[in-house]
């Protein structure tokens, strides 16, 4: 049995040696930019005749790489290959499957700075955020490897004298893994490794904004001894190749993380039975958020300030768990807003390649235009306290932006903006704060700062969020420690990094033998 699971520590970039290693890895990855990447289907590397590029959002003229737009025949071919590989992989001993994950964790540790570098360059992640992403990916490999072993153990059943009864968790079949760009390593790795640890085979369709980070993980899997065909790397647009893969009658499950709109579309598409289909497809869909932090009248405002800044502006607010609604008790409101504005004004924004920049760019031009449009809407809905502008021409930089005096019904208080924009709402009292927090179609993360024990206990009961925190930030869930997933339109509450997660990638078979 492997040692008890422990979270991977984060890299200390105050250490000069680590800074040097990260800079060297950036240089090494920079020298690999612009390459053409093929589809990887079984043992074959394939071109498609049509391609697209991914770019560095800190310096939009830099091409990260060229990638294939898989055509429909190639998507079907990938399903054929994954279905054939399933016949063998589902019979592979669980220890062998778990070992692939443990080796992948080792390889990620060995190539950690390189993994970080791909994300710094392709996703615009500041160093610390990129490193946290790689560390979480390592955690998923270690955690799900152990979980596969646990689910393969004899399961507890009520025993009767005349029978030997067993409950076995067996895999589902061919799954489609569709991750977003914002955790291009951790979420991609988490959904892929959970699928294959449980004995399924996978078609991995990375986000078109971060396909190089996906290609990097494919190289890790190959180094870890994963048999060909168990994970197939198929790039292309979500709306064409992604949709086709979801629709195919031989697809058994879809593991998706992304926006509400696409998640709902996938859910509906997967629910329509296709001719020849012999199962109800399973959809695991984790979607958007409109996450909140409540500041109660007796909160430690300094502590709250640190938590709000990290939650709202860490990785430019581009986390599903990012705080985008700050709900402040009226007695704390007037003192907190100037503190918040001052701190936000001091945030350094610039290329993610420079470790001194706290905020990097947003992911692409479409995101930038959408965020700026919300900022325009915000100007009519609240008082602009700081920020509001885009910065520079080289990359997609936006100032940390705060609107105060926002009504809970305002557009910027209801819709997911997915950028560095925070709406501050004044609450009359604690009851009002809880009501505002819950008045959302989403229910992903939330947090509360305060010291009143009765209020804390009530918030624990009443705040409707899949991940709820007290006196700490609302981002940064840790594998095994804070199983992660949201309520309502935030998704299926799959609780990634928790002990129920692997179940979603299996079906239970009861075997009863008379003795
Ligand atoms: P997105 O929905 O635009 O894309 C997600 C993935 O779906 C991409 O790989 C895309 O190519 C694919 N896709 C798009 N259309 C498709 C279709 N018709 N069929 C199949 N696949 C399709 O999301 P995004 O912009 O990549 O990510 C940001 C969103 O993800 C935000 O809403 C954020 O809140 C959410 N998110 C949620 C979580 C969570 O755990 N709840 C975590 C991270 C991100």
């Amino acid at each position: 049995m492997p040692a008890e699971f422990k979270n991977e520590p984060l890299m200390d970039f105050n250490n000069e040696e680590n800074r040097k290693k990260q800079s060297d890895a950036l240089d090494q990855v920079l020298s690999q930019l612009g390459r053409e990447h093929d589809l990887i289907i079984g043992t074959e590397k394939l071109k498609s005749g049509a391609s697209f590029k991914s770019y560095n959002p800190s310096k939009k003229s830099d091409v990260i790489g060229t990638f294939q737009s898989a055509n429909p025949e190639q998507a079907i071919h990938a399903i054929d290959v994954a279905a054939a590989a399933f016949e063998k992989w589902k019979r592979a001993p669980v220890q062998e499957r778990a070992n692939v994950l443990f080796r992948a964790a080792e390889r990620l540790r060995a190539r950690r700075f390189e993994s970080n570098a791909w994300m710094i360059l392709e996703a615009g992640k500041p160093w610390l955020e990129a490193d946290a992403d790689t560390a979480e990916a390592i955690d998923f490999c270690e955690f799900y490897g152990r979980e596969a072993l646990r689910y393969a153990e004899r399961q507890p059943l009520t025993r009767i004298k005349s029978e030997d009864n067993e409950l076995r968790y067996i895999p589902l079949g061919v799954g489609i893994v569709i991750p977003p760009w914002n955790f291009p390593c951790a979420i991609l790795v988490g959904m892929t490794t959970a699928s294959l640890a449980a004995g399924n085979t996978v078609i991995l369709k990375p986000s078109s904004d971060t396909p190089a980070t996906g290609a990097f993980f494919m190289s890790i899997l190959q180094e870890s001894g994963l048999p060909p065909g168990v994970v197939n790397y198929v790039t292309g647009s979500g709306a064409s190749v992604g949709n086709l893969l979801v629709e195919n009658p031989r697809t058994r499950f879809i593991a998706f993380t992304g926006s509400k709109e696409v998640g709902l579309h996938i859910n509906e598409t997967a629910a329509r039975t296709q001719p020849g289909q012999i199962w109800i497809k399973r959809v695991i869909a984790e979607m958007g958020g409109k996450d909140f932090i409540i500041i109660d009248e007796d909160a430690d405002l300094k502590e709250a300030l640190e938590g709000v800044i990290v939650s709202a502006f860490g990785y430019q607010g581009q986390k599903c768990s990012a705080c985008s609604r700050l709900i402040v008790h009226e007695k704390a409101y007037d003192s907190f807003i100037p503190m918040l504005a001052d701190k936000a004004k001091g945030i350094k924004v610039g290329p993610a390649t420079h470790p001194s920049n706290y905020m990097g760019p947003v992911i692409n031009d479409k995101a930038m235009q959408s965020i700026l449009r919300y900022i325009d809407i915000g100007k009519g809905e609240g008082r602009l306290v700081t920020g509001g502008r885009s910065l520079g021409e080289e990359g997609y930089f936006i100032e940390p932006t705060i609107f105060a005096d926002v009504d809970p019904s305002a557009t910027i208080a209801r819709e997911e903006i997915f950028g560095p924009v925070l709406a501050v709402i004044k609450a009359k009292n604690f009851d009002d704060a809880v009501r505002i927090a819950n008045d959302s179609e989403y229910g992903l993360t939330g947090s509360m700062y305060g010291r009143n024990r009765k209020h804390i206990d009530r918030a624990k009961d009443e705040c409707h969020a899949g991940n709820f925190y007290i006196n700490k930030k609302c981002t940064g869930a840790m594998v095994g420690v804070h199983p992660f997933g949201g309520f309502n339109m935030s998704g299926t509450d799959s609780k990634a990094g928790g002990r129920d997660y692997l179940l979603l990638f299996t079906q239970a078979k009861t075997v009863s033998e008379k003795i």
Side-chain angles (χ1 to χ4, degrees):
M1 280 302 277
E4 196 186 336
F5 169 77
K6 281 205 175 70
N7 297 101
E8 187 68 18
L10 298 181
M11 195 59 68
D12 175 9
F13 287 117
N14 291 320
N15 175 314
E16 202 173 313
E17 200 186 324
N18 290 340
R19 274 208 310 277
K20 163 99 175 61
K21 284 184 182 160
Q22 191 58 71
S23 293
D24 291 348
L26 277 164
D27 288 342
Q28 186 213 334
V29 170
L30 274 167
S31 73
Q32 297 177 49
L33 296 194
R35 277 190 323 194
E36 182 164 358
H37 298 253
D38 297 336
L39 307 176
I40 305 173
I41 302 179
T43 52
E44 299 169 293
K45 288 187 137 205
L46 301 172
K47 303 225 183 308
S48 70
S51 63
F52 67 96
K53 292 180 167 51
S54 90
Y55 296 90
N56 176 355
S58 297
K59 194 169 175 223
K60 45 197 184 190
S61 53
D62 276 0
V63 173
I64 300 290
T66 300
F67 299 85
Q68 310 302 314
S69 299
N71 59 43
E73 293 73 36
Q74 288 169 325
I76 306 290
H77 177 52
I79 292 189
D80 288 340
V81 168
F86 179 62
E87 292 310 312
K88 273 196 178 167
W89 186 245
K90 70 180 179 189
R91 294 204 174 83
V94 63
Q95 189 67 56
E96 185 181 323
R97 301 199 306 251
N99 284 346
V100 169
L101 269 66
F102 298 145
R103 282 196 294 269
E106 268 318 306
R107 294 307 304 148
L108 273 171
R109 277 188 199 102
R111 298 175 68 189
R112 181 164 184 158
F113 293 102
E114 193 188 342
S115 170
N116 296 349
W118 280 110
M119 287 186 273
I120 293 167
L121 291 167
E122 192 176 44
K125 284 214 162 188
W127 286 25
L128 275 172
E129 298 281 352
D131 186 66
D133 199 318
T134 305
E136 191 177 353
I138 294 171
D139 283 352
F140 279 134
C141 294
E142 294 283 1
F143 188 80
Y144 295 144
R146 285 164 175 74
E147 282 296 281
L149 295 174
R150 186 172 70 82
Y151 276 110
E153 285 168 8
R154 200 169 172 108
Q155 299 299 314
L157 291 175
T158 301
R159 298 285 159 206
I160 56 173
K161 267 192 188 154
S162 53
E163 293 176 7
D164 180 19
N165 293 320
E166 271 180 84
L167 186 81
R168 296 182 186 174
Y169 290 108
I170 65 169
L172 294 167
V174 175
I176 315 297
V177 170
I178 307 180
W181 51 263
N182 73 328
F183 280 88
C185 188
I187 293 182
L188 179 149
V189 171
M191 295 195 295
T192 305
T193 54
S195 303
L196 62 95
N200 304 290
T201 55
V202 163
I203 294 158
L204 168 61
K205 196 221 77 66
S207 162
S208 299
D209 285 303
T210 50
T213 310
F216 171 79
F217 186 63
M218 281 304 286
S219 75
I220 294 277
L221 285 178
Q222 286 164 345
E223 289 174 6
S224 310
L226 186 73
V230 175
V231 177
N232 303 279
Y233 172 81
V234 175
T235 44
S237 115
S240 57
V241 72
N243 212 49
L244 228 139
L245 290 165
V246 168
E247 263 177 356
N248 191 286
R250 284 182 299 156
T251 295
R252 179 63 182 83
F253 69 95
I254 298 106
F256 166 83
T257 307
S259 62
K260 178 188 91 176
E261 290 69 26
V262 174
L264 292 180
H265 172 76
I266 287 178
N267 192 42
E268 283 172 23
T269 308
R272 262 195 308 275
T273 316
Q274 303 292 335
Q277 186 177 323
I278 58 166
W279 45 60
I280 297 173
K281 292 183 193 182
R282 192 171 297 170
V283 176
I284 300 148
E286 291 309 314
M287 315 191 307
K290 191 71 195 172
D291 310 307
F292 64 88
I293 294 183
I294 292 175
I295 298 185
D296 204 1
E297 58 181 317
D298 59 353
D300 177 332
L301 294 188
K302 275 199 190 137
E303 200 181 68
L305 182 62
E306 297 300 324
V308 171
I309 290 285
V310 181
S311 305
F313 302 121
Y315 190 33
Q316 298 82 265
Q318 300 174 115
K319 297 183 190 177
C320 54
S321 54
C323 172
S324 57
R325 292 184 294 152
L326 179 64
I327 304 162
V328 188
H329 192 291
E330 64 178 15
K331 288 196 180 138
Y333 195 85
D334 290 338
S335 37
F336 194 67
I337 302 272
M339 287 166 69
L340 182 63
D342 271 2
K343 184 99 181 164
K345 278 179 191 144
I347 290 178
K348 227 177 137 203
V349 186
T353 37
H354 298 297
S356 63
N357 289 326
Y358 182 82
M359 270 175 56
V362 299
I363 189 69
N364 57 28
D365 187 49
K366 192 169 161 223
M368 171 120 157
Q369 296 316 324
S370 161
I371 296 162
L372 292 175
R373 191 175 55 81
Y374 275 113
I375 290 177
D376 264 350
I377 295 173
K379 286 177 184 162
E381 290 185 328
R383 171 168 58 92
L384 181 65
V385 178
T386 185
R389 293 173 308 164
S390 60
L391 299 169
E393 294 290 305
E394 278 221 316
Y396 305 111
F397 302 104
I398 299 182
E399 289 178 318
T401 299
I402 300 173
F403 289 102
D405 309 342
V406 177
D407 190 86
S409 65
T411 304
I412 61 163
R414 304 200 77 80
E415 295 183 10
E416 186 183 47
I417 300 174
F418 221 56
V421 182
L422 179 65
V424 190
I425 302 166
K426 192 191 278 188
K428 289 196 222 37
N429 49 41
F430 179 71
D431 284 356
D432 195 32
V434 173
R435 184 192 58 76
I436 295 166
N438 286 341
D439 182 18
S440 168
E441 64 172 334
Y442 294 106
L444 189 47
T445 78
S447 143
M448 170 201 160
Y449 284 86
R451 285 181 276 219
N452 179 325
R453 182 37 58 189
K454 279 195 181 132
H455 285 183
I456 291 174
D457 289 342
R458 274 194 48 209
K460 284 184 181 175
D461 283 346
E462 293 174 27
C463 287
H464 198 59
N467 285 64
F468 186 62
Y469 306 93
I470 310 286
N471 288 323
K472 53 192 292 227
K473 63 190 169 106
C474 65
T475 55
M478 291 163 72
V479 172
V481 180
H482 313 113
F484 189 80
F487 301 153
N488 297 345
M489 283 300 174
S490 291
T492 51
D493 192 34
S494 62
K495 289 292 184 272
R499 285 164 71 95
D500 302 329
Y501 193 66
L502 226 64
L503 264 189
L504 302 169
F505 297 82
T506 67
Q507 50 197 339
K509 177 174 179 179
T510 302
V511 180
S512 178
E513 182 177 351
K514 190 171 172 204
I515 47 177

